[in-house]
Amino acid sequence: MSHPKHHAWLFSVSAFECVVALRQLRIRSVPPMLEWIPDEWLDAAIEIGMDSRDEQGWFRYSPEQIAWEVWERMKPVDTYLPGEE
């Protein structure tokens, strides 16, 4: 869903770090999920990242916070992380 308004976050180091965090969440999940990240998850991360910009253009949410929010929204039913049981 890349759109010019998303480029500020999409081309940032935050986007890369968010994808790494999402991948780790997927791999650690019970049951384990595939390493690749579906487009819907990436679209959600872009939207959350862009919605977190303040008036000066800074992103308020860390890449890990964005990854966690995407995880909570998109994880399949009956999927959890170790320690969340």
Side-chain angles (χ1 to χ4, degrees), residues 6 12-13 18 21 25 28 31 48 52 55 68 72 84:
H6 299 132
S12 70
V13 172
C18 180
L25 290 170
R28 291 183 28 234
I48 294 166
S52 79
E55 299 79 35
W68 185 256
E72 286 296 317
E84 284 186 332

Side-chain angles (χ1 to χ4, degrees), residues 9-22:
W9 187 81
L10 188 59
F11 295 139
S12 70
V13 172
S14 291
F16 177 79
E17 291 173 356
C18 180
V19 169
V20 170
L22 279 172

Side-chain angles (χ1 to χ4, degrees), residues 4-70:
K5 76 173 190 138
H6 299 132
H7 290 175
W9 187 81
L10 188 59
F11 295 139
S12 70
V13 172
S14 291
F16 177 79
E17 291 173 356
C18 180
V19 169
V20 170
L22 279 172
R23 182 177 178 273
Q24 289 303 311
L25 290 170
R26 291 176 60 86
I27 292 170
R28 291 183 28 234
S29 71
V30 178
M33 299 171 76
L34 297 174
E35 294 180 13
W36 61 269
I37 301 166
D39 289 344
E40 297 82 22
W41 288 47
L42 298 174
D43 290 344
I46 292 167
E47 289 299 323
I48 294 166
M50 289 305 296
D51 288 346
S52 79
R53 289 183 89 179
D54 63 17
E55 299 79 35
Q56 289 80 35
W58 294 100
F59 302 114
R60 293 186 312 256
Y61 303 143
S62 71
E64 293 79 15
Q65 289 172 306
I66 294 170
W68 185 256
E69 181 66 29
V70 171

